Amino acid sequence: MTVRVVIVDDQALVRAGFRMVLDSQPDLAVVGEAIDGADALRVLDRVEADVVVMDLRMPTMDGVEATKRICARPAERRPRVLVLTTFDTEADAFAALRAGASGFLLKNVPPEDLLAAIRVVAEGDSVVAPSITRRLLDRFAGQLGPAPTEDPRLAQLTEREREVLLLVAQGLSNAEIAARVHVAEATVKTHVGRILAKLQLRDRVQAVVLAYESGLVTPGG
């Protein structure tokens, strides 16, 4: 299967560089380019894409707002979003994750890391470690707004699923969770899959965000 990619960046040189890297791969195809978030929405009205590689800081409409609007689209017209950031835009990266992005990469990642990330996102997984997400949430917890209230969807979880969600939100991998609760790693993977399905979440990153927003996990806790 060919993964269809749209590149969104206000710098032509950056877009050209990404296109060159992606076009070298037989399983990846650049189907569109956009100079800002508003342009990206117009491009996505014309072409079908699996992954949007999104810069965060752009004129007219930034990457956070564009990500929010893309993730609000109907499922059949909703590509997954991989945002690009720098060390000084963690607040924007956090906002993009809350808006529905599947993760983020630093803009200066090696080409092979960008290619791997696009493939992982296209397969439905996230490309930012939950521990990194947790660090962002700890740092920017003040942006969560009023005191959190438990999401009613959490009532669907079994006691074990709730326990696993808590450990996911603390940044543990499946292997680490398996060791903590004394079950097989495959069992943990099954639990995580059920948690995501019940909570209607796309990936582990979104599960971490939900755990914080609902008060299941507290910053620094």
Side-chain angles (χ1 to χ4, degrees), residues 31 42 75 102 114 125 131 138 162 211:
V31 296
R42 290 191 291 269
S102 297
L114 174 64
D125 207 347
S131 57
D138 280 345
R162 193 180 179 94

mmCIF file of all heavy atoms in Angstrom, residues 31 42 75 102 114 125 131 138 162 211:
data_model
loop_
_atom_site.group_PDB
_atom_site.id
_atom_site.type_symbol
_atom_site.label_atom_id
_atom_site.label_comp_id
_atom_site.label_asym_id
_atom_site.label_seq_id
_atom_site.Cartn_x
_atom_site.Cartn_y
_atom_site.Cartn_z
ATOM 1 N N VAL A 31 1.238 13.732 -2.252
ATOM 2 C CA VAL A 31 0.075 14.031 -3.099
ATOM 3 C C VAL A 31 -0.324 15.500 -3.026
ATOM 4 O O VAL A 31 -1.245 15.928 -3.725
ATOM 5 C CB VAL A 31 -1.128 13.150 -2.714
ATOM 6 C CG1 VAL A 31 -0.820 11.681 -2.982
ATOM 7 C CG2 VAL A 31 -1.530 13.360 -1.253
ATOM 8 N N ARG A 42 -7.568 23.422 2.203
ATOM 9 C CA ARG A 42 -8.006 23.473 0.804
ATOM 10 C C ARG A 42 -7.428 22.297 0.003
ATOM 11 O O ARG A 42 -8.129 21.681 -0.805
ATOM 12 C CB ARG A 42 -7.587 24.803 0.176
ATOM 13 C CG ARG A 42 -8.362 26.013 0.710
ATOM 14 C CD ARG A 42 -8.094 27.250 -0.127
ATOM 15 N NE ARG A 42 -6.726 27.730 0.035
ATOM 16 C CZ ARG A 42 -6.354 28.628 0.941
ATOM 17 N NH1 ARG A 42 -7.247 29.142 1.781
ATOM 18 N NH2 ARG A 42 -5.094 29.031 1.004
ATOM 19 N N ALA A 75 -14.453 10.567 9.526
ATOM 20 C CA ALA A 75 -13.387 9.564 9.555
ATOM 21 C C ALA A 75 -12.858 9.222 8.172
ATOM 22 O O ALA A 75 -11.643 9.037 7.985
ATOM 23 C CB ALA A 75 -13.887 8.303 10.261
ATOM 24 N N SER A 102 -1.169 12.793 16.036
ATOM 25 C CA SER A 102 -0.715 11.464 16.418
ATOM 26 C C SER A 102 0.690 11.479 17.004
ATOM 27 O O SER A 102 1.229 10.433 17.345
ATOM 28 C CB SER A 102 -0.734 10.534 15.204
ATOM 29 O OG SER A 102 -2.055 10.384 14.735
ATOM 30 N N LEU A 114 12.159 10.402 9.994
ATOM 31 C CA LEU A 114 10.937 10.970 9.424
ATOM 32 C C LEU A 114 10.173 9.912 8.641
ATOM 33 O O LEU A 114 8.949 9.777 8.781
ATOM 34 C CB LEU A 114 11.274 12.149 8.517
ATOM 35 C CG LEU A 114 10.090 12.756 7.744
ATOM 36 C CD1 LEU A 114 9.070 13.348 8.694
ATOM 37 C CD2 LEU A 114 10.586 13.816 6.757
ATOM 38 N N ASP A 125 -0.574 4.070 14.634
ATOM 39 C CA ASP A 125 0.068 4.193 15.937
ATOM 40 C C ASP A 125 0.564 5.617 16.120
ATOM 41 O O ASP A 125 0.475 6.454 15.220
ATOM 42 C CB ASP A 125 1.233 3.203 16.053
ATOM 43 C CG ASP A 125 1.510 2.814 17.498
ATOM 44 O OD1 ASP A 125 0.980 3.486 18.402
ATOM 45 O OD2 ASP A 125 2.247 1.842 17.713
ATOM 46 N N SER A 131 6.026 8.828 27.614
ATOM 47 C CA SER A 131 6.798 9.523 28.640
ATOM 48 C C SER A 131 7.074 10.961 28.233
ATOM 49 O O SER A 131 7.084 11.876 29.060
ATOM 50 C CB SER A 131 8.115 8.790 28.904
ATOM 51 O OG SER A 131 8.860 8.656 27.710
ATOM 52 N N ASP A 138 2.993 17.592 32.206
ATOM 53 C CA ASP A 138 3.440 18.112 33.490
ATOM 54 C C ASP A 138 3.809 19.585 33.380
ATOM 55 O O ASP A 138 3.485 20.402 34.239
ATOM 56 C CB ASP A 138 4.656 17.322 33.992
ATOM 57 C CG ASP A 138 4.266 16.004 34.641
ATOM 58 O OD1 ASP A 138 3.075 15.834 34.963
ATOM 59 O OD2 ASP A 138 5.149 15.152 34.826
ATOM 60 N N ARG A 162 -8.513 -0.064 33.868
ATOM 61 C CA ARG A 162 -8.245 1.242 34.496
ATOM 62 C C ARG A 162 -6.821 1.278 35.051
ATOM 63 O O ARG A 162 -6.124 2.292 34.945
ATOM 64 C CB ARG A 162 -9.267 1.486 35.603
ATOM 65 C CG ARG A 162 -9.314 2.917 36.120
ATOM 66 C CD ARG A 162 -10.368 3.040 37.221
ATOM 67 N NE ARG A 162 -10.436 4.375 37.759
ATOM 68 C CZ ARG A 162 -11.272 5.315 37.348
ATOM 69 N NH1 ARG A 162 -12.130 5.039 36.377
ATOM 70 N NH2 ARG A 162 -11.273 6.510 37.898
ATOM 71 N N ALA A 211 -6.249 10.871 30.382
ATOM 72 C CA ALA A 211 -6.002 10.564 31.787
ATOM 73 C C ALA A 211 -5.718 11.834 32.586
ATOM 74 O O ALA A 211 -6.158 11.977 33.735
ATOM 75 C CB ALA A 211 -4.843 9.574 31.914
#
